[in-house]
Amino acid sequence: MADVLKKVPVREQEPKVRATNFDEVCLGYNKEEAVEEAQRCLHCKNAKCVQGCPVNINIPDFIGELKEGNVEEAYKVISESSALPAICGRVCPQESQCEGKCIRGIKGEPVSIGKLERFVADWARENGIKPPTPQEKNGKKVAVIGSGPSGLTCAGDLAKLGYDVTIFEALHEPGGVLVYGIPEFRLPKLDVVAKEVENVKSLGVKIETNVIIGKSVTIDELMDEEGFEAVFIGSGAGLPMFMGIPGETAKGVFSANEYLTRNNLMKAFRDDYDTPIVHGKKVAVVGGGNVAMDAARTALRLGAEVHIIYRRSEAELPARAEEVHHAKEEGIIFDLLTNPTEILTDENDNVCGIRCIRMELGEPDASGRRRPVEIPGSEFDIEVDTVIMSLGTSPNPLISSTTIGLDVNRKKCIIADEETGKTSKDGVYAGGDAVTGAATVILAMGAGKAAAKGIHEFLNNKN
């Protein structure tokens, strides 16, 4: 009999093999493995795992159906709450959310909720199972700005309620950060993202690409001239941050946003695409979040020796433990308690190195993490030809600056009610990274779900 205190192991590509390709690292469960893992669920009456899920999936019920081998029924349970289960099963930080609350994890390992969600969603896709058809249209039009996780979630929930929903996407492909930000080896685009987008469209949602809100059309014009009774802003946070150190404008310095967009959306890693990117041989990635791991592991697959430079210790790394583990397995070098002070350049303004200083941890700062403090006289250089800055992002101010009566905070994030998504402008709602700054896919989805509910209540009370 299997050990109920331990997860059923999940199959993965071998590190040495996967470091040379862009195929998905995690291979997931087959049905036999998924059913076996589902048996570990205690089906708690007061399910803390549901409380830990930002979109409140009924986890015990979907796993209960899976226990019995009823995969289609399990998918129906998930679909009641989530529009993007195949994506969430791959990229959500389950260890700090649903699995982090799992009672089974008190005396053993928590149930692999994310891997089970992924299996159910993949099985449904492979067997042609679609989300339930929405109710009839109610004749009310709602615009959604951005086709990332918050926009897709909000649009899907509103479509299920009968609204005529149109998503406006600035890029040429829908998916937002799911397409441009997360690498293929973590989230396949055609097999997963595109199919999840199609599922949202099957609910009746229309998607118009190459529409830049604030340039192509404004929110005020959508509401005043095109008949949209409410608008949801889920435009994300795509404006990269930099350190302001010498050498940041040199040739060979990228923001992680640009580097990943060129590889993920524009397929720079593929020889059959005419969208190449400079393939550095020695790359430094500055930062310690999931985006930094994505950029580092992408550079590695493009043939580079890669250093992660992070000013705190491993215990403070904000990236998911799984991503750090995978990066280490693949050969990424971690220069911890290290901070850049200058990017070194040659006579042609090409990057030739990065100057750093050693750090030690002092007292906790406002985030609760111990503040990194420079150690005088500890400077040293690392020879690199490419530097990728992964220091976070903020919302592009284009939308807020072209919308009358829309309040933002000092970081240019839209101010919106946490529970409803309501902004300072009547009929306009917002959520996800456009409100919080860069965060996770599932938190953006939770915000999209909350805003859909807020919009529904607003439009019902309006008439």
Side-chain angles (χ1 to χ4, degrees), residues 356-376:
C356 301
I357 190 166
R358 302 286 184 194
M359 312 292 283
E360 59 185 357
L361 295 180
E363 295 300 313
D365 61 14
S367 71
R369 295 180 297 173
R370 292 173 65 192
R371 185 186 301 277
V373 180
E374 293 183 356
I375 300 175

Side-chain angles (χ1 to χ4, degrees), residues 249-271:
T249 60
K251 301 168 190 173
V253 179
F254 295 87
S255 70
N257 221 34
E258 178 191 357
Y259 192 79
L260 290 170
T261 298
R262 287 171 67 93
N263 276 282
N264 301 334
L265 180 67
M266 301 170 70
K267 311 297 184 193
F269 68 91
R270 287 178 52 169
D271 293 335

Side-chain angles (χ1 to χ4, degrees), residues 14-46:
E14 289 296 324
K16 287 184 179 179
V17 175
R18 70 183 191 236
T20 64
N21 66 56
F22 279 81
D23 297 336
E24 192 168 12
V25 169
C26 179
L27 304 178
Y29 286 142
N30 59 30
K31 185 174 180 180
E32 182 182 1
E33 292 164 339
V35 171
E36 182 182 348
E37 178 63 16
Q39 303 298 327
R40 299 182 60 239
C41 178
L42 299 172
H43 206 91
C44 307
K45 288 184 178 179
N46 179 24

